[in-house]
Amino acid sequence: MTVKRYDGLAAVPEDLGPTVATVGMFDGVHRGHRVLLDRVAAEAAARGVPAAAVTFDRHPLTVLRPGSEPPLLTTLDRKVELLGEACMEIVLVLEFTREQSEVTAEAFAAEVLFDRLAARAVVVGENFRFGHKAVGDPVLLAELGRPRGVEVVAVGLHADGDQVVSSTRVRAELAAGDVAAAAASLGRPYAVEGEVVVGDRRGRTLLGVPTANLEVPPGIALPADGVYAGHLTDQADGVARPAAISVGTNPQFGTDRRVEAHVLDFDSDLYGHRVSVDFHHHLRDQATFPGVDELAAQIRADIDQARRLLGAG
């Protein structure tokens, strides 16, 4: 499904027509979000109108308490793509500013949902809060919508076991290096995107193992420092190639924190390419070795283990 993205209220066409809408940060578009979005799509299909999601260009804490905001699980562009994959036909991206944070719940509901998106129904999570100082909730939204004939549906939180699936949970799983658990929460392997940049070339020249150094956008969550098995996908050809991936500072050489991927059985030049790297298996934590020979031997063992786990010959 092709998603129509509108950046700001002014970008929404006057003749958009009625929708069924939802609102949220939707960081990661995880399985909990998908339960909610499935309900949005179902309500929209029942009414024969498009499903629309309203989201924000940054985490609200970036504005409300700078420095306390969590790392994000997706870039904004990737989030819009994932919302489209979840059958949202329209995504309205609002810039979260200090002014936006001071809009009352009543004004937000009227201006964004009822007027601009002409919502016939609004689907939100049962813990949804909105408006200045987060005073709005599903009960208030229903009261505001009732005179306009707008139905409000509050969807229960999705739990896996005894724990709710949330963006906070996914971040904790990544911080623990448990990429398998993060994949279960997300409904897909966790991935980061970026451009392949020139590194110190130590992998090829000193260790005999060339790596693609990924320049991940600032503010994006990374798994815990360690070595992983996964895939590198070059956006130029869309091929997912098995890889052994290192995340961290490389304590052997004291480098900055980075993501490096050794693509198995592949030696083409990826410099300047936009790629994504996904994480399927945690192989080991980061470690320092007595010398370069011992490090090279461990890297070869990591590659062999990645090959087995990924079924890569």
Side-chain angles (χ1 to χ4, degrees), residues 144-170:
L144 297 172
R146 195 170 297 118
R148 297 171 177 254
V150 178
E151 181 182 0
V152 172
V153 179
V155 177
L157 302 180
H158 177 68
D160 184 358
D162 60 354
Q163 190 176 5
V164 169
V165 177
S166 67
S167 302
T168 300
R169 172 176 171 170
V170 176

Side-chain angles (χ1 to χ4, degrees), residues 215-303:
E215 188 172 65
V216 179
I220 296 296
L222 294 177
D225 290 0
V227 180
Y228 300 85
H231 296 86
L232 180 146
T233 302
D234 186 350
Q235 294 183 6
D237 60 17
V239 177
R241 297 179 171 90
I245 306 152
S246 171
V247 178
T249 57
N250 196 334
Q252 197 83 17
F253 301 106
T255 57
D256 296 331
R257 196 160 192 253
R258 60 177 61 170
V259 176
E260 299 180 71
H262 169 71
V263 184
L264 276 56
D265 308 316
F266 181 81
D267 198 30
S268 295
D269 184 358
L270 291 171
Y271 292 129
H273 290 220
R274 290 203 60 80
V275 303
S276 66
V277 171
D278 62 32
F279 302 86
H280 287 246
H281 306 279
H282 177 266
L283 303 185
R284 64 174 174 87
D285 294 336
Q286 241 183 21
T288 303
F289 297 88
V292 172
D293 290 343
E294 290 85 354
L295 173 60
Q298 181 60 59
I299 290 174
R300 288 192 293 270
D302 295 336
I303 292 169

Side-chain angles (χ1 to χ4, degrees), residues 49-71:
V49 301
V54 181
T55 191
F56 301 96
D57 69 333
R58 70 200 73 188
H59 197 285
L61 288 178
T62 306
V63 172
L64 299 176
R65 292 202 300 275
S68 69
E69 67 275 10

Side-chain angles (χ1 to χ4, degrees), residues 20 47 67 69 94 102 109 132 163 170 207 248 298 300:
V20 168
R47 292 168 174 79
E69 67 275 10
L94 298 179
E102 294 173 353
H132 184 48
Q163 190 176 5
V170 176
L207 302 171
Q298 181 60 59
R300 288 192 293 270

